[in-house]
Amino acid sequence: MKERCRETLERAYLFLDGEVLDDRQRIEISTHLEECAPCYERYGVEREVAMLIARLRGSTRCPEELRTRVRTLIEEA
C-alpha cells in the first residue's frame, strides 16, 4: 500500500471513530477516495462495518455461555 493511501485511510478511520477533522482534512480524504478505487472500496467496507456495529450496539445481549467462555480464556492467559 502506498504511503499516501495508508495515511489517508488512517485519517478516514479516525473520522469513522468520531474524531473531528477540519475542512481541509475532510476535503483531502474525500478527494483521495474519489481518485483511488482501492482506498474507496476499503473505506466503504470499514464504514459499513462501523454502521452495523453502531446499529447492533446494545440491541443484542451476548449469550451467557459465550461470556463465561471468554472470561475463562482471559483468566487462563
Side-chain angles (χ1 to χ4, degrees):
M1 176 181 291
K2 295 179 185 177
E3 184 67 18
R4 181 170 180 235
C5 292
R6 187 186 62 72
E7 290 173 357
T8 299
L9 287 173
E10 283 179 6
R11 287 186 286 151
Y13 296 154
L14 288 174
F15 179 72
L16 279 177
D17 290 341
E19 185 80 21
V20 177
L21 303 177
D22 61 38
D23 289 340
R24 182 189 56 78
Q25 291 174 316
R26 285 194 304 274
I27 290 169
E28 287 176 2
I29 291 168
S30 178
T31 301
H32 181 81
L33 293 175
E34 289 173 7
E35 296 172 351
C36 182
C39 285
Y40 179 79
E41 184 176 327
R42 178 175 261 169
Y43 176 76
V45 169
E46 292 289 333
R47 187 181 69 215
E48 291 296 320
V49 169
M51 288 171 44
L52 177 62
I53 290 170
R55 191 175 73 221
L56 294 176
R57 186 176 292 143
S59 66
T60 305
R61 290 195 40 86
C62 179
E64 192 57 42
E65 180 180 322
L66 178 58
R67 285 178 187 271
T68 303
R69 287 180 58 202
V70 170
R71 195 174 299 122
T72 301
L73 289 172
I74 291 172
E75 291 171 356
E76 291 175 355

